[in-house]
Amino acid sequence: MQRTTTAAAVATLLAAAALGLAPHQAQAAPTSSVTAAADPSSQVRFHDIPGSGGITLKGNVFTPAGAESGRKYPLIVLPTSWGLPQIEYIAQAKKLADSGYVVVSYTSRGFWLSGGSIEVAGPPDVADVSAVIDWALANSPADADRIGLGGVSYGAGITLLASAHDPRVKAVVAMSGWADLIESIYSGRTQHRQAAGLLGAAGYLTGRPGPELQSLLSDFLGSRLDREQQMIEWGRKRSPAEQLDRINANGAAVMLGNAWGDTIFPPNQYATFYERLTGPKRLEFRPGDHATAEGTGLLGLPNDTWTNAHRWFDRYLKGERNGIDTEAPVQIKSRSDDGYEGYADWKSVGSGGTERLALSDREHLFANVDSGANGGVVLLSSVLDQFVKVPPIASVPLLPRAFAGVWQSERYDTARRVRGTVKLHTTLTPTKADGTFIAYLYDVGPLGIGKLVSNAPYTFHGKAPGQAFGVDLELFSTAYDVPAGHRLALVVDTVDPLYIEHNPAGAQLTFSSPRTDPSYVSVPLREQ
C-alpha cells in the first residue's frame, strides 16, 4: 500500500503538471465568474455552481466567441475524472466551444475545492449532473433540447448513470469508464488489489472520502467476506449496466471507448454493456491502459479518440451528417497493428471462428509462490505495450512447474489474429475450501519468451477439499496478432501482484481434463 500510495501521488501530480496547474494553483483557481485570459476564439469563465444537496461545485464554462444574443447553442457537460480538478478538460472544452458548443466542466464532488465527500458515482453525483444542467440552462446560452454528457474514467461512469436519470440528455461519450463496477474491480470474485489501492490512495490524496467509502475500502482490501454481499450491492447501485432499461428508454446516443489493457476497468464489461444498448451506439477499443488512449487529447494534442467524440456530438447534438453513424459501429485497433477494423457488432469481432486448444495434461500446483507469470503493473505495463509494443513477458520454459501449470499449442504455420474474449474451461480440485488462480495466455516465440496476450483471475470459496468442480473463466478481451512460427501457451499460477489471492497456507490446486468433460481454451479469431 505504501508503494501504491506513492504511485498515486506521483500520478496525480504529473497529471496536474501536464495540464499546466500544480495542486496549490488548483486551489487558488478563481471561484467567481471572472473572465480568464483566452484567445479571441472562445471565452472561459470560472464559476461556483450549485450542486445537489446544497454543495458548491467548482466549474468552468466555455462559450463560443461572439455568442449572439438570444441564440441557443448545444450544451456539453464534463464531470472530471477521479482525483483531477476542473481544468482537466480545458483543451478539449475550448475546441468544442470554438466549434459552437457551450461547455461546462466541473470538479466532481468530494475532490479538490468542490463540496461534499466522495460518493463514487452515487446518487448525489448523478443528481449533480442534473443540477449543473439546470444551472447552465439558466446562466448560459445553452439549448435545453441539445444536451450532451462526456467524460473520462470517473466522469464516464457518472455520465452513463446520469443518462439513465435525466431524459434531457441526447448524447453521451464515455471514455475509459465502467458499466459494471463489480466486474471491473472484482472480476472472477477476486479483488483487483493495485487498481483499488491506487483509486483509494488518490482519493485520500486529492479529496475527502466519506465514511461509507472509507469503510468499503477497508472491507474490500481486507477481504471481509462477511461483508461481500453488501459490497456487491453497493457496486451494483453504481453500475450503469444495472440501469440499462432506463438508459435505453431515454434513448441517448451512446459512444463508448476503452483500452484493451485497462487495468482499472477491463474491456469485457464495456463490450457486454454495448451489446445490450438499443439506441444509437458506438464502441471503440484501442491499445493502452486506463485513460491513456485519451490522455494526449487532454493535453490538446491530436487524438483520434477525441476526434471521434467531437464527431459523435456533432452528429447527435448538431445534426451534422458527418458519416459517423454510417460507419461500422464497432471500431477496434489491434495491439500489433496501427490500422482500425470495423465490425457490425461485438459478436462479429471473432467472426473467423474459434480455435480450441486442448488442455489434456494434468497439472498439480503448490500455491502461494509467484511463478514469474504476472499481469504486469497497473497503468505502466499496458502503456509500454501501447507505445513500444512491449507487454509483460515471461520465459515460459523456465517457469517452475511446481508453481505454474503450462499447456502449449503446436507452432503455427500461419499467423493467428486473436480477436475478442478468450475462454477457459477446466476442472479444478483444491486441497482447501478457498483459493485463487490466475490464467494467462502468452504468445511464445522461438526462444520461449512469452508476451502476454490476456489474463484474468479466479477465486472460489466454500468448496469441498479434494472434490473436483468445473471452472469457466473469461479472460480480458483483446486484439492481438500471433506471428507465424509462434505458439500460444496457457499458464496458470496462484500469485499475481495485481490481485489479492485467497490461498491458505499449504494449499494445492490440481487442474485436470476428465474424459467426459475435457478442459480447453477457446480462442476467437479474425477472418483471414
Side-chain angles (χ1 to χ4, degrees), residues 11-22:
T12 304
L13 291 171
L14 287 176
L19 292 166
L21 193 66

Side-chain angles (χ1 to χ4, degrees), residues 365-385:
L365 311 183
F366 294 90
N368 298 312
V369 176
D370 191 340
S371 71
N374 288 313
V377 178
V378 65
L379 294 182
L380 176 62
S381 296
S382 292
V383 170
L384 292 175
D385 185 35

